[in-house]
PDB file of all heavy atoms in Angstrom:
ATOM      1  N   MET A  64     170.799  47.851-114.922  1.00  0.00           N
ATOM      2  CA  MET A  64     170.436  48.321-113.605  1.00  0.00           C
ATOM      3  C   MET A  64     169.699  49.612-113.818  1.00  0.00           C
ATOM      4  O   MET A  64     168.716  49.894-113.179  1.00  0.00           O
ATOM      5  CB  MET A  64     171.635  48.356-112.635  1.00  0.00           C
ATOM      6  CG  MET A  64     172.224  46.985-112.185  1.00  0.00           C
ATOM      7  SD  MET A  64     171.014  45.843-111.461  1.00  0.00           S
ATOM      8  CE  MET A  64     170.638  44.774-112.918  1.00  0.00           C
ATOM      9  N   GLU A  65     170.376  50.543-114.578  1.00  0.00           N
ATOM     10  CA  GLU A  65     169.817  51.933-114.811  1.00  0.00           C
ATOM     11  C   GLU A  65     168.473  51.718-115.506  1.00  0.00           C
ATOM     12  O   GLU A  65     167.467  52.441-115.139  1.00  0.00           O
ATOM     13  CB  GLU A  65     170.804  52.767-115.590  1.00  0.00           C
ATOM     14  CG  GLU A  65     172.090  53.213-114.865  1.00  0.00           C
ATOM     15  CD  GLU A  65     173.141  53.790-115.774  1.00  0.00           C
ATOM     16  OE1 GLU A  65     172.855  54.165-116.911  1.00  0.00           O
ATOM     17  OE2 GLU A  65     174.175  53.968-115.279  1.00  0.00           O
ATOM     18  N   HIS A  66     168.416  50.966-116.585  1.00  0.00           N
ATOM     19  CA  HIS A  66     167.143  50.696-117.119  1.00  0.00           C
ATOM     20  C   HIS A  66     165.991  50.324-116.209  1.00  0.00           C
ATOM     21  O   HIS A  66     164.935  50.716-116.377  1.00  0.00           O
ATOM     22  CB  HIS A  66     167.355  49.836-118.411  1.00  0.00           C
ATOM     23  CG  HIS A  66     166.132  49.435-119.131  1.00  0.00           C
ATOM     24  ND1 HIS A  66     165.554  50.260-120.018  1.00  0.00           N
ATOM     25  CD2 HIS A  66     165.311  48.435-119.050  1.00  0.00           C
ATOM     26  CE1 HIS A  66     164.443  49.733-120.433  1.00  0.00           C
ATOM     27  NE2 HIS A  66     164.222  48.666-119.900  1.00  0.00           N
ATOM     28  N   ASN A  67     166.361  49.349-115.232  1.00  0.00           N
ATOM     29  CA  ASN A  67     165.298  48.893-114.404  1.00  0.00           C
ATOM     30  C   ASN A  67     165.189  49.617-113.141  1.00  0.00           C
ATOM     31  O   ASN A  67     164.507  49.246-112.131  1.00  0.00           O
ATOM     32  CB  ASN A  67     165.724  47.434-114.125  1.00  0.00           C
ATOM     33  CG  ASN A  67     165.481  46.507-115.353  1.00  0.00           C
ATOM     34  OD1 ASN A  67     164.393  46.540-116.009  1.00  0.00           O
ATOM     35  ND2 ASN A  67     166.455  45.645-115.637  1.00  0.00           N
ATOM     36  N   GLU A  68     165.925  50.821-113.163  1.00  0.00           N
ATOM     37  CA  GLU A  68     165.917  51.729-111.920  1.00  0.00           C
ATOM     38  C   GLU A  68     166.312  50.994-110.596  1.00  0.00           C
ATOM     39  O   GLU A  68     165.617  51.085-109.495  1.00  0.00           O
ATOM     40  CB  GLU A  68     164.596  52.380-111.851  1.00  0.00           C
ATOM     41  CG  GLU A  68     164.261  53.207-113.060  1.00  0.00           C
ATOM     42  CD  GLU A  68     162.947  53.950-112.917  1.00  0.00           C
ATOM     43  OE1 GLU A  68     162.078  53.749-112.017  1.00  0.00           O
ATOM     44  OE2 GLU A  68     162.596  54.704-113.953  1.00  0.00           O
ATOM     45  N   ILE A  69     167.367  50.214-110.736  1.00  0.00           N
ATOM     46  CA  ILE A  69     167.901  49.483-109.591  1.00  0.00           C
ATOM     47  C   ILE A  69     169.304  50.082-109.244  1.00  0.00           C
ATOM     48  O   ILE A  69     170.080  50.108-110.143  1.00  0.00           O
ATOM     49  CB  ILE A  69     168.048  47.972-109.842  1.00  0.00           C
ATOM     50  CG1 ILE A  69     166.647  47.360-110.172  1.00  0.00           C
ATOM     51  CG2 ILE A  69     168.694  47.202-108.803  1.00  0.00           C
ATOM     52  CD1 ILE A  69     166.705  46.033-110.806  1.00  0.00           C
ATOM     53  N   SER A  70     169.353  50.588-108.035  1.00  0.00           N
ATOM     54  CA  SER A  70     170.787  51.039-107.718  1.00  0.00           C
ATOM     55  C   SER A  70     171.619  49.939-107.051  1.00  0.00           C
ATOM     56  O   SER A  70     171.013  48.979-106.477  1.00  0.00           O
ATOM     57  CB  SER A  70     170.644  52.257-106.757  1.00  0.00           C
ATOM     58  OG  SER A  70     169.924  51.971-105.589  1.00  0.00           O
ATOM     59  N   PHE A  71     172.882  50.061-106.968  1.00  0.00           N
ATOM     60  CA  PHE A  71     173.779  49.004-106.418  1.00  0.00           C
ATOM     61  C   PHE A  71     174.904  49.664-105.708  1.00  0.00           C
ATOM     62  O   PHE A  71     175.396  50.738-106.091  1.00  0.00           O
ATOM     63  CB  PHE A  71     174.112  48.016-107.429  1.00  0.00           C
ATOM     64  CG  PHE A  71     174.845  48.626-108.740  1.00  0.00           C
ATOM     65  CD1 PHE A  71     176.205  48.629-108.738  1.00  0.00           C
ATOM     66  CD2 PHE A  71     174.097  49.179-109.733  1.00  0.00           C
ATOM     67  CE1 PHE A  71     176.806  49.110-109.898  1.00  0.00           C
ATOM     68  CE2 PHE A  71     174.679  49.597-110.863  1.00  0.00           C
ATOM     69  CZ  PHE A  71     176.054  49.599-110.942  1.00  0.00           C
ATOM     70  N   ALA A  72     175.376  48.908-104.684  1.00  0.00           N
ATOM     71  CA  ALA A  72     176.563  49.393-103.960  1.00  0.00           C
ATOM     72  C   ALA A  72     177.227  48.228-103.263  1.00  0.00           C
ATOM     73  O   ALA A  72     176.612  47.091-103.210  1.00  0.00           O
ATOM     74  CB  ALA A  72     176.010  50.274-102.839  1.00  0.00           C
ATOM     75  N   PRO A  73     178.435  48.293-102.791  1.00  0.00           N
ATOM     76  CA  PRO A  73     179.044  47.335-102.013  1.00  0.00           C
ATOM     77  C   PRO A  73     178.219  46.820-100.898  1.00  0.00           C
ATOM     78  O   PRO A  73     177.620  47.802-100.188  1.00  0.00           O
ATOM     79  CB  PRO A  73     180.441  47.852-101.552  1.00  0.00           C
ATOM     80  CG  PRO A  73     180.549  49.151-102.350  1.00  0.00           C
ATOM     81  CD  PRO A  73     179.266  49.606-102.673  1.00  0.00           C
TER      82      PRO A  73
END
Side-chain angles (χ1 to χ4, degrees):
M64 295 301 104
E65 289 170 12
H66 176 77
N67 292 313
E68 299 180 357
I69 300 168
S70 59
F71 55 95

